[in-house]
Amino acid sequence: MIQRLMLRQSRATSSNLSRSLAHPSPRSFPHIQSISTPSIHRAFTPRPYSSTAEEKTPPRTDSSPSEPPLSKQEAEDPAKKELEAKNKEILDLKDRYLRSVADFRNLQDRTARDVSSARDFAISRFAKDLLDSIDNLDRALGTVPSSSVEKTPENESNNKDLMNLYGGLKMTEQILMSTLAKHGIERFDPTEKGEKFDPNLHEATFMTKMEGKDDGTAFHTQQKGFLLNGRVIRAAKVGVVKNS
């Protein structure tokens, strides 16, 4: 009997419990009164660190509000400065290149002139040493009177040896001067054409009055001059007219 009574009480307790769960009331569960509606709303309130809050929050920038953002032109300044520096470097290198080319061409021209001058005037010392021999040969020919070497029956019978010697010396002089001319050596006599005194070609040894001739005219030659490829290696010694 006792077992039946305990079984009935347990069934009644279980039925009351199921009813209270199906229709709860504050009296049935007094410990649930501490849960209020605001707490439920707080559970669904978006928190600052939720994804919804991150979407609404504007992105932060490193620059402070007092500093304005850099413009596009200011952002491109480093590239422009670098480009200007490269352009200046290119201009400097181009200027150096042109100067180097000009210096090299000047060096080529100067070297060519030096080589040409060395080739043309390499025998200048030899030519100067040879001038005394030419002068002596010219003096020897000048000492023979022209009347003694003219082709006349009297001279051919009386001065035949002298005429032959003179002819041989004259031929030697012609061959010698022709050979020297091949190497650029030329002899000139200012009195042959009545030239005016030229300090670049002549050396005045004396001056005198002479009627019928202009002042500064070379009328007498003491020593003939010589040129080597247009350069004076010895000036002609002359007498100059001075009437005034």
Side-chain angles (χ1 to χ4, degrees):
M1 244 180 110
I2 294 172
Q3 292 179 352
R4 290 181 182 177
L5 180 61
M6 291 178 66
L7 181 61
R8 288 178 184 176
Q9 288 180 355
S10 61
R11 288 179 180 177
T13 302
S14 60
S15 63
N16 292 333
L17 182 60
S18 61
R19 288 177 185 175
S20 62
L21 291 175
H23 301 283
S25 63
R27 294 179 180 179
S28 301
F29 303 97
H31 60 278
I32 304 178
Q33 291 181 0
S34 61
I35 301 175
S36 59
T37 305
S39 63
I40 297 173
H41 288 290
R42 276 199 303 273
F44 294 95
T45 302
R47 298 178 182 178
Y49 52 83
S50 63
S51 60
T52 308
E54 291 178 357
E55 292 178 358
K56 293 183 179 180
T57 304
R60 296 179 60 186
T61 57
D62 295 338
S63 60
S64 60
S66 61
E67 297 180 358
L70 295 175
S71 62
K72 185 177 180 181
Q73 184 177 2
E74 293 177 351
E76 293 178 355
D77 281 344
K80 287 185 177 180
K81 290 180 180 179
E82 185 177 359
L83 180 60
E84 291 177 357
K86 295 297 182 182
N87 289 335
K88 289 181 181 179
E89 185 178 358
I90 290 172
L91 292 176
D92 185 38
L93 293 175
K94 184 177 180 181
D95 182 66
R96 291 183 182 180
Y97 169 74
L98 294 176
R99 289 179 183 274
S100 300
V101 171
D103 292 341
F104 180 71
R105 290 179 178 175
N106 292 335
L107 178 62
Q108 283 183 323
D109 296 339
R110 185 166 57 252
T111 304
R113 288 195 301 268
D114 293 343
V115 171
S116 178
S117 177
R119 182 177 61 252
D120 293 340
F121 305 105
I123 62 172
S124 59
R125 182 175 297 179
F126 170 74
K128 289 179 181 179
D129 294 339
L130 193 62
L131 297 182
D132 293 336
S133 300
I134 299 172
D135 291 338
N136 291 332
L137 182 60
D138 188 36
R139 292 189 189 99
L141 293 173
T143 56
V144 179
S146 59
S147 59
S148 299
V149 292
E150 288 180 356
K151 290 183 178 182
T152 61
E154 183 179 358
N155 289 334
E156 289 180 356
S157 59
N158 298 329
N159 300 325
K160 185 177 181 180
D161 295 336
L162 179 61
M163 291 178 63
N164 292 334
L165 177 62
Y166 181 83
L169 292 175
K170 191 70 174 177
M171 186 178 296
T172 302
E173 183 191 30
Q174 290 176 355
I175 294 173
L176 177 61
M177 297 308 300
S178 175
T179 303
L180 294 177
K182 292 179 180 179
H183 296 277
I185 302 174
E186 298 178 1
R187 184 174 62 181
F188 65 94
D189 186 356
T191 59
E192 291 180 354
K193 298 180 180 180
E195 299 177 4
K196 291 283 186 178
F197 175 76
D198 186 354
N200 297 320
L201 300 174
H202 309 148
E203 180 183 351
T205 56
F206 66 94
M207 302 178 74
T208 185
K209 293 182 179 180
M210 184 169 290
E211 297 180 358
K213 292 189 176 182
D214 299 333
D215 290 348
T217 303
F219 71 94
H220 176 72
T221 302
Q222 288 183 337
Q223 193 177 49
K224 297 178 181 180
F226 285 86
L227 300 173
L228 175 59
N229 294 318
R231 179 187 294 180
V232 178
I233 57 176
R234 191 182 74 181
K237 296 180 179 181
V238 297
V240 183
V241 177
K242 187 178 180 182
N243 293 321
S244 59

